[in-house]
Amino acid sequence: MDFVEQLKSSVDIVKTIGEYVRLKRVGSTPRYMGLCPFHNEKTPSFSVHMSHQFFKCFGCGVGGDVIKFVMEMERISFMEALKLLAERNGIAMPKREYSDPESKLRGALMEMHETAAAAFQKNLAASSGVEARNYLSGRGVSPEQITEFGLGLSDASGQQVIRMLEPRFAPEQLEVSGLVMKRQDGSGFFDRFRGRLMFPIHNESGKIIGFGGRALRSGDEPKYLNSPETALYHKSHVLYNLHRAKDAVRKADYAVLVEGYMDVIGVYSAGVRNVVASCGTALTNTQVRALKKHSGRIVVNFDPDAAGANAAERSIQMLLDEGFQVRVLELEGDLDPDEYVKREGAEAYRGRLEKAPSYFHWLADRARKKFDMRSVEGRMQGFKFVAPSIQRIADRLERFAVANDVADYLGVDEKLVRDHFSRGSAGRPSVSRGPVVPPNERLLLNALLVSESARAEAIPQLRTLAAVDRFVTKRIFVAIFAMETPAFRFADLEGRLADADRDLLSAVIFADEVLEEEKAHQQAQACLRSLQAQDPKTELAALRAQIKTAEREGKIEEAIRLASELDQKVRSQAAMPRSSIQA
Ligand SMILES: [Zn+2]
């Protein structure tokens, strides 16, 4: 068995996917369902099959084995997915064969970031870090928080990081690391971050992939300097603190979204562990989907300034488009979350969080302030102010419910509301469902996939069954026939199929109860008999036609051979028991 097979057979796909997606077992079957992490949906169409070690989304079409899942989820290469799975499951990875240039570079970049982060932390703890430490304690950041968030200080000389990295890494690697910059005269590199308070940024697995650097002296521009895009760091994919927050997000079934590093640290320290930050920009849909894997509910708590409100507005639209239930926390006194926690205390903040109104009620409150709620026109204007946002709710029923709720809240007649919201729901990705697989084919395939003995017995008979030629799943059967031995695994079969047939196969395996070996054997036989019983007329007619053609063309030997085949078929069918299964 090669390493990939060995890895796949020792990794539990349900457990691995379960770390990203909440899965629910379907009865006592080996099938699990959940909300797809790759597209926005309200009802689960994402399925995982434990015994076939396979996943498939019937909404957006993505599917495959556990390695494919990790590749898609973490946006990493095949080799990196192997490495990650091996690491997480304590499986030793054969070194030489499994390194490609891409993952080699990323591995080098990760080492560089580890090295830099350790140096930054040392600097902050050293005597030269006193100014930075004073700044942090002035902002209420404790030594424990400094340690927990791995805060550091970049050396002002611009020489520290490059001196550590230069002996260990190639110039081509240094150049794309994001940690150093090339001198204009071409005489080497210098540190990108100099004399800044350093916030390490982690990916969802907790590896450092970039930094945010805050200026400590007034006049140092910009105030925040972030890592550039690198092979590791894609700004639009990353949410600050998600690796620490994700378990808490699941537990609380909501996330708290704030704007910056300091807000995260302040709120997290107030015991609100489910907090993440977008780091100054409006959310992207990649970030939103990263969150959606853990919960579909969120409280948006952005800074009250205009930039904050703008980012909040755009983020909220993105969240609604992705099907999130959004609440808005607006803190009184124009305080950002970090300041609020410090001034009012952790408990006060948590209380405000709990009472945060839904986005639509928050909008309706703004409308109330904006329009004259005493007149019918004013109330209608208020409603029209909220309506475009309600229109964005993807789910039709929920859209109506929210519209009625807000209309009620603003004192608007529900009848006037209805025509606003009678349009169809927003476009959703969908795969063509493909042809319907008749029960006999479906049951037969499922039985064959479960039982090797069923395969051993049924495959030779199926090879001569003319009906297979008319199967919707013909190409799947042909692939099964092409296997050298009946002792194959599901993945072997799946790997031989084109996309359309893979979809068909997924539809088949997720359609029925999976059988015990013994029952599978019986089911295969019953299906086979049923198919054979249906087959004769067409099969015999085809044979008779072939005989006629052969005779007409003067191929007498051929005609005789066919005639004896026909004779055999007629006899064997007369002796065949009737099937209990009807198509
Ligand atoms: Zn999907």
Side-chain angles (χ1 to χ4, degrees):
M1 201 173 358
D2 76 348
F3 178 69
V4 176
E5 288 311 320
Q6 185 202 330
L7 180 75
K8 274 165 66 176
S9 63
S10 47
V11 168
D12 179 352
I13 192 172
V14 174
K15 195 169 148 257
T16 303
I17 295 183
E19 281 164 26
Y20 300 88
V21 181
R22 285 204 245 194
L23 292 173
K24 239 179 118 179
R25 190 164 190 170
V26 183
S28 57
T29 70
R31 299 204 310 268
Y32 292 75
M33 301 282 295
L35 291 173
C36 179
F38 304 112
H39 85 280
N40 170 25
E41 63 177 6
K42 290 245 155 145
T43 46
S45 47
F46 180 82
S47 309
V48 182
H49 202 292
M50 190 169 59
S51 34
H52 295 322
Q53 292 283 302
F54 182 80
F55 77 94
K56 177 79 189 174
C57 173
F58 293 95
C60 66
V62 60
D65 60 16
V66 67
I67 299 169
K68 173 83 184 302
F69 180 85
V70 171
M71 286 169 68
E72 294 283 324
M73 207 71 243
E74 302 275 353
R75 285 160 217 287
I76 51 179
S77 71
F78 180 76
M79 293 301 169
E80 289 169 296
L82 284 188
K83 214 171 137 200
L84 189 144
L85 280 168
E87 238 172 60
R88 278 193 201 162
N89 292 278
I91 299 163
M93 180 108 178
K95 277 233 161 70
R96 263 171 309 127
E97 300 137 73
Y98 292 100
S99 60
D100 57 336
E102 192 193 346
S103 67
K104 229 185 206 163
L105 173 64
R106 290 164 63 118
L109 294 192
M110 280 192 191
E111 269 183 69
M112 292 186 207
H113 280 77
E114 286 294 334
T115 305
F120 295 154
Q121 285 168 29
K122 258 192 192 155
N123 296 342
L124 184 61
S127 57
S128 56
V130 64
E131 206 183 329
R133 291 200 302 275
N134 286 343
Y135 167 82
L136 285 169
S137 74
R139 295 220 39 185
V141 179
S142 68
E144 291 75 37
Q145 289 163 2
I146 290 177
T147 308
E148 171 139 42
F149 287 88
L151 304 189
L153 174 68
S154 50
D155 193 78
S157 71
Q159 294 299 313
Q160 185 188 32
V161 171
I162 186 61
R163 279 195 186 139
M164 297 173 89
L165 300 183
E166 216 156 26
R168 291 170 54 199
F169 300 97
E172 307 84 66
Q173 291 177 324
L174 292 171
E175 197 172 346
V176 296
S177 69
L179 293 170
V180 297
M181 304 206 311
K182 221 173 181 168
R183 288 190 194 286
Q184 283 196 333
D185 61 9
S187 65
F189 300 95
F190 62 97
D191 293 1
R192 177 184 195 86
F193 300 100
R194 297 176 302 279
R196 286 173 176 267
L197 185 60
M198 301 301 291
F199 298 84
I201 300 167
H202 300 78
N203 65 12
E204 216 182 308
S205 339
K207 291 265 192 325
I208 300 174
I209 53 171
F211 291 97
R214 192 196 190 284
L216 285 168
R217 294 199 181 89
S218 56
D220 268 6
E221 289 297 331
K223 190 170 152 195
Y224 278 99
L225 178 69
N226 279 1
S227 288
E229 295 281 312
T230 67
L232 284 186
Y233 180 66
H234 305 288
K235 187 178 173 189
S236 64
H237 291 182
V238 180
L239 283 165
Y240 180 65
N241 201 47
L242 183 59
H243 70 295
R244 276 185 215 98
K246 60 184 179 182
D247 289 342
V249 169
R250 276 165 188 244
K251 218 177 259 173
D253 194 12
Y254 74 94
V256 180
L257 180 69
V258 296
E259 217 172 330
Y261 309 114
M262 292 302 278
D263 292 323
V264 165
I265 295 173
V267 169
Y268 192 85
S269 308
V272 177
R273 301 276 147 135
N274 49 333
V275 60
V276 296
S278 61
C279 294
T281 53
L283 288 181
T284 64
N285 59 8
T286 316
Q287 289 167 324
V288 171
R289 282 173 193 172
L291 262 181
K292 186 86 184 273
K293 291 181 297 181
H294 305 292
S295 175
R297 308 194 308 153
I298 194 165
V299 178
V300 176
N301 181 190
F302 273 6
D303 292 0
D305 61 33
N310 255 328
E313 194 59 46
R314 273 178 296 144
S315 297
I316 288 167
Q317 293 312 327
M318 179 67 72
L319 287 160
L320 293 175
D321 288 349
E322 291 289 335
F324 265 78
Q325 283 180 38
V326 182
R327 293 189 291 145
V328 176
L329 175 53
E330 203 174 13
L331 297 167
E332 56 273 16
D334 275 2
L335 294 175
D336 65 28
D338 166 46
E339 293 166 342
Y340 188 93
V341 169
K342 243 140 257 153
R343 207 168 300 180
E344 306 292 331
E347 205 169 313
Y349 182 78
R350 290 197 300 266
R352 297 284 287 112
L353 202 55
E354 264 159 44
K355 290 198 206 89
S358 88
Y359 172 62
F360 301 102
H361 284 97
W362 177 78
L363 265 188
D365 281 334
R366 280 174 58 184
R368 273 169 182 262
K369 285 177 201 149
K370 227 173 148 142
F371 304 101
D372 177 15
M373 287 293 120
R374 287 164 304 186
S375 71
V376 178
E377 297 80 54
R379 292 198 291 273
M380 200 56 209
Q381 273 178 315
F383 183 77
K384 281 182 178 156
F385 175 77
V386 187
S389 299
I390 300 177
Q391 195 72 62
R392 294 181 84 109
I393 300 174
D395 186 82
R396 192 172 159 273
L397 286 177
E398 197 193 333
R399 193 162 66 240
F400 271 98
V402 170
N404 283 333
D405 192 22
V406 170
D408 196 41
Y409 188 66
L410 291 173
V412 175
D413 187 355
E414 284 182 21
K415 278 189 206 107
L416 293 173
V417 172
R418 228 158 275 160
D419 64 318
H420 236 100
F421 295 98
S422 44
R423 269 171 276 164
S425 70
R428 219 76 65 73
S430 68
V431 278
S432 64
R433 298 287 141 142
V436 176
V437 180
N440 261 334
E441 284 179 50
R442 212 181 62 217
L443 294 168
L444 182 59
L445 255 180
N446 263 316
L448 292 185
L449 286 169
V450 169
S451 161
E452 189 184 327
S453 70
R455 291 198 288 270
E457 192 171 319
I459 290 172
Q461 299 181 62
L462 281 164
R463 282 184 206 272
T464 64
L465 189 73
V468 174
D469 218 38
R470 295 183 300 274
F471 275 7
V472 171
T473 53
K474 175 183 166 186
R475 282 184 302 269
I476 298 174
F477 278 90
V478 169
I480 290 176
F481 297 161
M483 306 279 209
E484 281 145 33
T485 147
F488 66 83
R489 281 176 311 238
F490 176 76
D492 300 334
L493 172 61
E494 208 249 335
R496 287 170 173 252
L497 301 174
D499 285 351
D501 294 318
R502 276 186 205 187
D503 286 346
L504 210 51
L505 181 64
S506 313
V508 166
I509 64 162
F510 287 110
D512 291 297
E513 298 286 306
V514 172
L515 309 157
E516 325 239 312
E517 170 90 26
E518 177 62 20
K519 259 191 104 190
H521 198 119
Q522 289 167 8
Q523 178 167 300
Q525 282 307 309
C527 290
L528 197 57
R529 283 196 299 272
S530 161
L531 286 162
Q532 284 166 336
Q534 289 165 27
D535 217 27
K537 275 185 211 143
T538 41
E539 199 176 12
L540 299 185
L543 264 177
R544 287 196 182 102
Q546 279 177 304
I547 294 169
K548 268 190 188 155
T549 313
E551 284 170 349
R552 217 180 16 247
E553 290 171 358
K555 297 177 182 164
I556 303 305
E557 275 174 35
E558 169 99 1
I560 294 171
R561 190 185 61 75
L562 289 168
S564 86
E565 194 181 319
L566 175 67
D567 186 50
Q568 259 179 7
K569 284 248 156 85
V570 173
R571 279 168 207 272
S572 74
Q573 271 162 23
M576 191 148 51
R578 293 289 99 186
S579 160
S580 56
I581 291 192
Q582 297 301 319

